[in-house]
Amino acid sequence: MVIELKGGKFKPEHLGQLSFYLTAVDEQIKHPQDNPTIGLLLCKSKNKVVAEYALRQNTQPLGVAEYKLIESLPPELATDLPSIEQIEQELMGNDAGTANADASDDR
């Protein structure tokens, strides 16, 4: 699956770019036994009619969807996912631990 995220509204030419990526994945990465590569274009907004016209003649498995940014996670997800601060602490802790282990090896 190839997912492309656009920061603005949907434009038909975005599908050409995504189609290029699908072809590249199919030629360079995909194995013969793999199913067809699926392309998903996520845009900040889209005109449904324009998206339907742009997709109508396309033979590749492509889709266009809108996304919405939110300030915080829904409560049911917040308990399952680490916060940004927790991720940063984990990354800093791992780096510090690696640096300390390297320093002790030099003694």
Side-chain angles (χ1 to χ4, degrees), residues 24-88:
V25 166
D26 285 346
E27 293 296 319
Q28 300 294 318
I29 300 172
K30 184 177 174 245
H31 297 100
Q33 68 274 16
D34 290 341
N35 289 324
T37 306
I38 298 169
L40 177 60
L41 181 61
L42 298 174
C43 300
K44 201 168 190 178
S45 65
K46 70 173 182 175
N47 178 302
K48 186 177 177 180
V49 173
V50 172
E52 287 178 8
Y53 284 176
L55 287 166
R56 185 168 290 167
Q57 298 298 316
N58 199 308
T59 59
Q60 291 179 301
L62 297 173
V64 177
E66 292 179 331
Y67 67 87
K68 183 177 181 181
L69 296 176
I70 57 173
E71 292 295 319
S72 62
L73 290 172
E76 62 272 10
L77 291 179
T79 59
D80 294 336
L81 299 172
S83 68
I84 292 172
E85 292 80 14
Q86 290 170 320
I87 293 170
E88 288 173 344

Side-chain angles (χ1 to χ4, degrees), residues 10-17 41 50-51 54:
F10 169 75
K11 296 178 183 176
E13 56 264 30
H14 293 156
L15 291 178
Q17 186 175 21
L41 181 61
V50 172

